[in-house]
Amino acid sequence: MTALSPAPPPAAPEATPVPTRETVPVDHDVLLSFLTEVFTGRGVPPGRAAEAARALCHGDLTGMDSHGVANLTRLYLPLLDEGRADPRAEPRIIADLGAAVLLDARRSLGLWAASEAMDLAAERAEHHGVGLVSVRDATHLGCAGYHALRAVEHGMIGVVASNCGGQRIARPPGGAVTVLGTNPLSAAAPAGALPPFLLDMSTTAAPTGRIRQAAREGRPVPEGLLRDDHGTPVTDPSAFDAGRAHLMWLGGEVGRFKGFGLGVLVEVLSAVVSGSGRGPHPDALAGDGRPTGRDDDIGFLMLAIAPGALRDGAEADAEELFGVLTDCPPVDPGHPVRYPGWHEHHLASERRARGVPLTVDLYAELVEVAERAGIPAPVTLRGER
């Protein structure tokens, strides 16, 4: 009797393609020119478009890729195409007390309007020692840290707080519905000859952009960022948009009230002061625990502080302060002590010189944008296009 041949193994199910992390470098100035042209093609005036491009590229320059060029097609072009952002809107001053201004952004592009607001705050700080610009009816500002650094360009300290308008992403500790956004908070300060101090953070354990970027790349997120309704840690980032997991607060389980408290503080500073849309609105109470609402009518707080207007010697004191931090003896000599903003400053300098690394998948998106707009795609430093 002839032995039967073993049956062939069942075919493996076709795997879902996972985006690659391979990158291609694009010259920073070339990328800025391309993005400027894309924005002008959507009706944004050239000066505004160039500023929006710089704000958008800040994320890629400083390693915050989730808040950089990846959001061009996912956030900013849809805002313009859907009419939720007005490319030519002229912000209007509602109240002006000299050191404090209330500004209606009138749905102008937040990447540009936030910088304008910080420049106005710095202008007022030159005369009063402090300048506060509260903004309502705004759209997404990108990396809050970019706009905080605008104050540093004037030799001042910059503070930025932004809510998410009517979008609700995070639940209060012990709560069953979402009431707050990721509510970013940023501060920047001159450090003399050293790189500027720059703190830029969401008040949740991670911004949604980082979670969604991990989902696109098919990689897990660390424990401590997401959990399910039973409090079990979740590492699958796709569970967030599927409604099977929600964001935790900065500080983790033990320190969650610190992150939550900061999130509420940002809501007060950005929304209550300006009169913008709020996450904690009675409408939120009808939620089902998943993210709700839209990030329209966002509120900003732009604060510029000019210590030099109050006393002499502040600049030297700041340089000494940050110098002491970097001179602190490290536990591991291979990992010297550094403060927030140090690594970002040096990474940005390197990427300006050597090119901004974009994933192959993101670069392909930009090529598609270029083809639809009828403009040349940015040529990579490898000569590919």
Side-chain angles (χ1 to χ4, degrees):
M1 183 176 179
T2 305
L4 296 176
S5 300
E14 186 174 347
T16 301
V18 174
T20 177
R21 280 298 294 171
E22 180 186 354
T23 62
V24 292
V26 177
D27 180 82
H28 179 241
D29 291 339
V30 169
L31 186 57
L32 287 181
S33 296
F34 170 74
L35 294 172
T36 300
E37 194 168 2
V38 171
F39 282 129
T40 56
R42 291 305 205 280
V44 181
R48 296 186 186 188
E51 177 57 26
R54 286 190 290 270
L56 187 58
C57 280
H58 174 82
D60 301 277
L61 281 177
T62 58
M64 296 177 65
D65 300 348
S66 61
H67 283 57
V69 178
N71 281 336
L72 178 69
T73 59
R74 293 173 176 84
L75 180 56
Y76 299 106
L77 294 187
L79 277 175
L80 293 165
D81 293 345
E82 295 168 11
R84 294 169 58 204
D86 183 345
R88 295 184 174 274
E90 293 293 341
R92 182 163 58 96
I93 292 179
I94 304 298
D96 190 342
L97 302 179
V101 174
L102 175 60
L103 187 71
D104 188 334
R106 304 176 74 185
R107 295 187 296 107
S108 53
L109 191 60
L111 290 167
W112 164 77
S115 288
E116 290 289 299
M118 181 56 84
D119 286 347
L120 177 58
E123 176 188 314
R124 299 307 176 91
E126 289 179 358
H127 299 285
H128 303 285
V130 63
L132 185 155
V133 178
S134 183
V135 185
R136 69 189 188 198
D137 201 13
T139 60
H140 198 282
L141 83 172
C143 290
Y146 174 81
H147 308 291
L149 283 170
R150 299 281 291 197
V152 174
E153 294 175 12
H154 296 274
M156 301 177 187
I157 298 165
V159 178
V160 176
S162 172
N163 80 340
C164 294
Q167 187 177 46
R168 297 141 195 143
I169 299 168
R171 307 174 183 182
V177 298
T178 55
V179 295
L180 289 168
T182 54
N183 289 14
L185 179 65
S186 180
L194 299 172
F197 168 80
L198 176 60
L199 175 68
D200 188 354
M201 65 182 198
S202 62
T203 50
T204 49
T208 54
R210 188 173 303 167
I211 302 298
R212 288 171 174 147
Q213 183 181 42
R216 290 193 300 271
E217 295 172 358
R219 55 182 173 82
V221 294
E223 287 191 8
L225 303 186
L226 298 172
R227 66 178 183 179
D228 64 19
D229 288 344
H230 305 290
T232 304
V234 175
T235 59
D236 176 7
S238 66
F240 174 71
D241 278 328
R244 301 191 310 272
H246 57 88
L247 274 176
M248 297 182 68
W249 289 101
L250 190 68
E253 183 63 24
V254 175
R256 64 191 185 280
F257 278 95
K258 296 180 181 179
F260 172 60
L262 287 172
V264 175
L265 174 63
V266 168
E267 198 76 36
V268 171
L269 293 175
S270 60
V272 173
V273 176
S274 70
S276 75
R278 301 189 309 276
H281 183 276
D283 292 347
L285 302 179
D288 61 1
R290 291 177 292 183
T292 62
R294 300 178 72 171
D295 56 345
D296 295 323
D297 193 9
I298 291 173
F300 304 153
L301 178 81
M302 300 288 166
L303 177 64
I305 303 169
L310 300 174
R311 69 177 185 91
D312 295 329
E315 182 177 351
D317 286 351
E319 183 169 349
E320 182 180 77
L321 183 158
F322 290 105
V324 169
L325 294 177
T326 58
D327 289 342
C328 178
V331 173
D332 179 355
H335 294 86
V337 175
R338 296 293 182 254
Y339 54 84
W342 174 285
H343 294 294
E344 292 85 347
H345 175 84
H346 287 286
L347 183 60
S349 297
E350 177 185 329
R351 290 184 172 183
R352 284 192 183 96
R354 300 184 180 180
V356 179
L358 303 178
T359 66
V360 170
D361 303 282
L362 176 55
Y363 182 72
E365 286 182 19
L366 299 187
V367 171
E368 290 181 11
V369 169
E371 290 174 348
R372 290 195 298 269
I375 61 176
V379 177
T380 74
L381 292 178
R382 294 179 184 173
E384 299 150 354
R385 202 178 107 180

